[in-house]
Amino acid sequence: MSTPSVLFVCVKNGGKSQMAAALMRKSAGNRVAVHSAGTAPGSSLNALSVQVLDEVGAPTDGEHPKPIDPHLLSEVDLVVTLGSEARVDAPATVVVENWNTDEPSERGIDGIERMRLVRDDIAARVEALAVRLLAAADGRQPASFPEVTRDKRE
C-alpha cells in the first residue's frame, strides 16, 4: 500500500490551503502525505485561520507560507487549488482539482464567523477527499476525482 500525497494551493498560502492541509493531517494522520503552498505566498499565516483550526484540534505549528516547489509538484498524486485565483501549471501526470470554496464575505459575513464557515466548508471537502485517497491506497477502489480540472497556461 502506497501513501497518497496531496498538495493544497491557494494564492498566499496563509489561509485556505493551510486550513486544508491542517484538516487533512487531522483527518488522515500520516496515511496521507500532506503539503501546502501558494502561487504568491504572503509573509504569515492568517491569525483567524489559525484560531479556527485550533478550535477543532487541527494545529498549524511550524507552518509558514511557502511557494510551490516544482519537484514536489511533479511528485504528488493530487493538487487541490482552493478558490478561483490560484492557478497551477502541473505536469500532465498530476491531477489538479479545484475547490471553489464558500466565501461568506460575499454575503456580508466577516471576521471569526466567516473563518468558521470557510473552515467548515473546507473540512467537509477534506473528509470526502481523505475517504477517496485512503480507499484508493488500500486498493478498495480506484481514485476518483470528479471535479478534475486542468489549468495550463501557454
Side-chain angles (χ1 to χ4, degrees):
M1 173 172 78
S2 65
T3 301
S5 58
V6 61
L7 170 63
F8 293 105
V9 177
C10 67
V11 175
K12 293 184 179 180
N13 189 225
K16 292 177 181 178
S17 58
Q18 291 283 354
M19 277 189 183
L23 291 163
M24 180 62 81
R25 285 185 196 101
K26 178 182 184 246
S27 176
N30 62 2
R31 297 174 298 157
V32 174
V34 181
H35 310 276
S36 71
T39 57
S43 59
S44 63
L45 298 186
N46 178 296
L48 290 177
S49 294
V50 171
Q51 181 179 340
V52 299
L53 287 168
D54 285 343
E55 290 174 356
V56 296
T60 55
D61 300 341
E63 291 298 324
H64 62 280
K66 52 202 155 295
I68 297 170
D69 175 334
H71 178 72
L72 176 64
L73 182 62
S74 69
E75 297 292 321
V76 295
D77 298 311
L78 175 66
V79 173
V80 175
T81 56
L82 289 100
S84 59
E85 298 83 26
R87 305 261 189 256
V88 176
D89 188 13
T93 57
V94 177
V95 175
V96 178
E97 182 172 313
N98 179 257
W99 293 353
N100 283 317
T101 56
D102 179 39
E103 186 43 69
S105 63
E106 293 174 357
R107 299 187 307 275
I109 302 170
D110 291 308
I112 195 72
E113 183 180 1
R114 171 187 174 263
M115 277 303 160
R116 287 180 179 132
L117 292 169
V118 169
R119 176 204 59 208
D120 294 347
D121 179 52
I122 292 172
R125 293 167 187 261
V126 163
E127 286 297 321
L129 177 59
V131 168
R132 287 187 290 159
L133 290 173
L134 294 172
D138 290 344
R140 290 179 281 139
Q141 65 185 25
S144 64
F145 303 104
E147 301 174 37
V148 169
T149 59
R150 252 300 142 210
D151 181 25
K152 293 283 192 180
R153 287 193 263 177
E154 306 297 329

